[in-house]
């Protein structure tokens, strides 16, 4: 199979469509938690960002899907959008079940540039999922998340793995199939997306979200300090690398894998002291 071919497109679309997990958020039984486990969960400073990220992702992905002519590609990206909407649904249920208070939700307007918004979502998931894989496993290993909750969340985390696998294949296929003269413009757009992604994450780490509103202060720092309990930064990063490999391992080896984050992490690990 040649990357960028019709066969390649069929393969990454089928991967997403055929590995869909049909769970229903409405029938999830939220396990009762012991008081200390409940306190740990409700005090995590992630819920606002998590709910809003899923809300934004689903409208962005759905808006891009609606612009597509290709029926298979459209079906796959529509499913991706529906899964994002379902993540938000799962989180709303969890928040309600454990009495977590959320900040008022903003509106989720449809993006004006659907392709940009789709790529922005795709690349941000590549960054965030990579860390989520490691944090999730670490929360399980340390007992920070009770086992019943880990099981409930497992499909959500694996869905993000499928999304980034799909996205990386899509973006490569898309570039290869576009006329050569459009490629420089596309590269510039991708570079601008990465600049904004890095900028946003620095802002979030300082306790200011992408829209300049202070909330969920010290998102990454607070979460790695609490969930990553017992692991230092180096061990946590190494766990992210292992988990990423694990989560990507079950899919057809001919599909491309997201490489940017694992490569950056491996590079960083070389410079971090043991
Ligand atoms: Fe999601
Ligand atoms: Fe996703």
């Amino acid at each position: 199979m040649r990357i960028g071919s019709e066969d390649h497109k069929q393969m990454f679309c089928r991967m997403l469509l055929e590995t869909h997990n049909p769970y229903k958020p409405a029938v999830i039984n939220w396990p009762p938690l012991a008081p200390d486990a409940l306190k740990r969960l409700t005090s995590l400073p992630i819920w606002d960002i998590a709910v809003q990220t899923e809300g934004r992702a689903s409208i962005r992905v759905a808006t891009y899907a609606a612009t597509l002519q290709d029926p298979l590609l459209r079906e796959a990206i529509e499913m991706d959008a529906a899964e994002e909407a379902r993540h938000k649904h799962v989180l709303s249920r969890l928040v309600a079940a454990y009495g977590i208070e959320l900040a008022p939700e903003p509106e989720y307007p449809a993006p004006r540039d659907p392709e940009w918004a789709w790529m922005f979502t795709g690349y941000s998931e590549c960054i965030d999922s990579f860390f989520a894989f490691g944090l999730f496993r670490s929360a399980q290993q340390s007992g920070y998340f009770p086992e019943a909750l880990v099981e409930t969340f497992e499909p959500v985390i694996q869905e993000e793995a499928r999304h980034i696998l799909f996205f990386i294949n899509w973006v490569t296929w898309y570039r290869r199939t576009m006329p050569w003269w459009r490629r420089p413009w596309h590269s510039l757009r991708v570079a601008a997306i990465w600049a904004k992604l890095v900028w946003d994450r620095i802002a979030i780490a300082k306790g200011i979200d992408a829209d300049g509103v202070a909330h969920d202060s010290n998102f990454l720092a607070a979460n790695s300090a609490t969930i990553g309990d017992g692991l230092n930064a180096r061990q946590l990063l190494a766990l992210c690398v292992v988990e990423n490999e694990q989560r990507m391992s079950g899919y057809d080896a001919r599909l491309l894998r997201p490489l940017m984050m694992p490569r950056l992490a491996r590079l960083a690990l070389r410079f971090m002291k043991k």
Side-chain angles (χ1 to χ4, degrees), residues 54 57 83-84 87 125 156 160 163:
E54 303 292 0
E83 289 176 357
E84 296 302 355
H87 292 166
E125 287 196 329
V156 173
E160 298 298 8
H163 290 174

Side-chain angles (χ1 to χ4, degrees), residues 132-270:
F133 297 157
L135 285 170
F136 183 72
R137 190 62 65 217
S138 140
Q140 177 186 24
Q141 287 170 354
S142 66
Y144 193 95
F145 279 178
E147 203 54 42
L149 211 55
V150 169
E151 268 169 44
T152 309
F153 260 97
E154 173 54 39
V156 173
I157 308 286
Q158 192 57 33
E159 250 152 29
E160 298 298 8
R162 285 165 59 249
H163 290 174
I164 63 178
L165 181 63
F166 177 86
F167 177 75
I168 286 304
N169 281 277
W170 172 84
V171 79
T172 312
W173 170 85
Y174 186 62
R175 258 190 90 76
R176 299 257 170 115
T177 51
M178 75 176 49
W180 64 268
W181 49 267
R182 281 187 53 208
R183 284 184 201 153
W185 176 240
H186 185 255
S187 302
L188 274 178
R189 278 162 66 88
V190 171
I193 285 173
W194 275 97
K196 175 143 173 47
L197 285 171
V198 170
W199 179 260
D200 284 356
R201 272 148 196 78
I202 293 172
I204 288 171
K206 286 181 179 162
I208 302 162
D209 80 2
D211 306 314
V213 185
H215 76 120
D216 281 350
S217 65
N218 279 315
F219 184 69
L220 268 182
N223 289 308
S224 38
T226 49
I227 306 183
D229 201 20
L231 295 185
N232 62 33
R234 189 178 198 286
Q235 290 166 322
L236 197 60
L237 199 56
L239 184 60
C240 291
V241 172
V242 172
E243 282 297 307
N244 176 70
E245 214 148 274
Q246 190 61 37
R247 293 210 175 259
M248 293 297 163
S249 65
Y251 304 95
D252 197 307
R254 288 169 293 176
L255 290 171
L256 301 169
R257 299 296 193 266
L259 292 177
M260 172 89 131
M261 292 307 293
R263 275 184 186 159
L264 281 176
R266 283 209 174 87
L267 184 69
L269 282 171
R270 279 209 236 152

Side-chain angles (χ1 to χ4, degrees), residues 60 115-124 193 196-197 200:
R60 286 174 179 176
E115 187 203 77
W116 168 281
W118 154 247
M119 291 200 295
F120 190 83
T121 303
Y123 283 120
S124 38
I193 285 173
K196 175 143 173 47
L197 285 171
D200 284 356

